[in-house]
Amino acid sequence: MSKDISGKKMTYAEAGVDVRANDEAVARIKSLARQTFGPQVLSEIGSFGGFYRPDFSGLKSPVLVSSTDSVGTKVKLAFMTGRHNTIGEDLVNHCVNDILVHGARPLFFLDYIGIHKLEPAVVAEMVSGLAHACRSVGMALIGGETAEMPDLYYPGEYDLAGCIVGVVEESKIINGSTIVEGDICIGLPSTGLHTNGYTLARKVVFEKAGLQPDAVVPELNGTIADALMAVHRCYAPLVFGLLEKYTVHGMAHITGGGIPGNLNRILPKHLDAEIGKGTWPILPIFEYLETAGNLDRLDMYSAFNMGIGYILVVPEKQAGEILRHLADSGEKAYRIGRIVGGRGVVSLV
């Protein structure tokens, strides 16, 4: 076994980890995170754990609802464009929507950033997006982890993930169990790909079509980067307003797997959902990907949300009123399907 006998001491920085950069990044994160704090937060960023004292007044039997997710390969677009401020919004909004389907209100959020080399300005951009999205729904960003790992990530690259915790009254949990035959499926539009399907989309755009991120695509009314990086929409304000006035039997956040792979997660085993493929406008970005990649339209429904980011399953007798309420609020929504007898399958008809 050989060993270094030169007598020179090796530092952590020489191994690729800059502790001073980490300290600067943490200082920036603290400032941004504090902007999301309320009286429930009892700790500072940098503690071993985040302390949160929940206010459950008004709830008889509060149930905590949690979820964790990442932005997936959408971060590759951030690397290519140097835009890091919206990635944090994507992550928070995705996680908020995931617990929203159960009627849960978000309480607090924690993030994880694994990065090749800590660049405080880049980390601050990401966290500014996290903090902005958290503030938008009244949620606290109470902690997380930032890890510099040059041996694991390529230069200029990172990964971003997070965990959310929310609360719902036990008697008001929405899980699809009350869905009945005849219920109507109402689709709420997405802003684009949201945070799913980017492995396929990047292959089509940058390999097959040979575009650069700043390439202007006339049918998209802007650059391909603008279309692909459109922020994942948060449906919480809209949905909570509906839950106060109407009955909702089930909700589905349309993420990886598209409508067939997500709506079936809330269907009772004896019921199917029939979704009409022509009942909402397909967004231009999906039309472009289909043409540029010579993609099969049916296959696309399992890879992308195809313009519907969230689905409400509501009683037939209230569907018309809910659609009118949404229209009066300036919200586009579409009657996209119906619940029928079956075996827990989503059919595109």
Side-chain angles (χ1 to χ4, degrees), residues 83-100:
R83 305 182 195 179
H84 307 284
N85 58 320
T86 58
I87 292 295
E89 291 184 66
D90 288 322
L91 177 62
V92 171
N93 292 346
H94 184 124
C95 290
V96 169
N97 292 339
D98 276 352
I99 66 168
L100 177 66

Side-chain angles (χ1 to χ4, degrees), residues 138-149:
M139 177 169 58
L141 176 62
I142 66 170
E145 167 69 0
T146 303
E148 187 176 29
M149 294 183 284

Side-chain angles (χ1 to χ4, degrees), residues 13 37 49-50 54 59 70-71 78 88 159 164 175 179 183 194 229 247 255 267 277 286 293 306 309-310 340:
F37 287 5
L59 297 178
S70 74
V71 187
D159 194 16
I164 189 172
N175 57 17
I179 293 175
D183 279 353
H194 282 182
M229 294 197 72
T247 299
T255 59
L267 288 177
K277 289 183 289 186
F286 299 114
M306 298 301 286
Y310 201 88
V340 299

Side-chain angles (χ1 to χ4, degrees), residues 79-130:
F79 309 153
M80 296 176 73
T81 62
R83 305 182 195 179
H84 307 284
N85 58 320
T86 58
I87 292 295
E89 291 184 66
D90 288 322
L91 177 62
V92 171
N93 292 346
H94 184 124
C95 290
V96 169
N97 292 339
D98 276 352
I99 66 168
L100 177 66
V101 302
H102 298 300
R105 292 185 177 272
L107 295 174
F108 60 84
F109 194 85
L110 301 103
D111 67 87
Y112 168 80
I113 301 170
I115 193 166
H116 171 80
K117 183 175 179 59
L118 265 173
E119 298 179 51
V122 171
V123 172
E125 276 195 67
M126 282 189 279
V127 177
S128 69
L130 291 168

Side-chain angles (χ1 to χ4, degrees), residues 213-233:
D214 59 356
V216 175
V217 180
E219 54 263 51
L220 300 179
N221 295 315
T223 68
I224 191 66
D226 290 337
L228 291 177
M229 294 197 72
V231 174
H232 192 133
R233 184 182 178 189

Side-chain angles (χ1 to χ4, degrees), residues 168-187:
V168 62
E169 176 68 67
E170 186 173 9
S171 63
K172 295 183 178 180
I173 290 174
I174 300 172
N175 57 17
S177 61
T178 59
I179 293 175
V180 297
E181 190 170 349
D183 279 353
I184 300 300
C185 299
I186 294 176

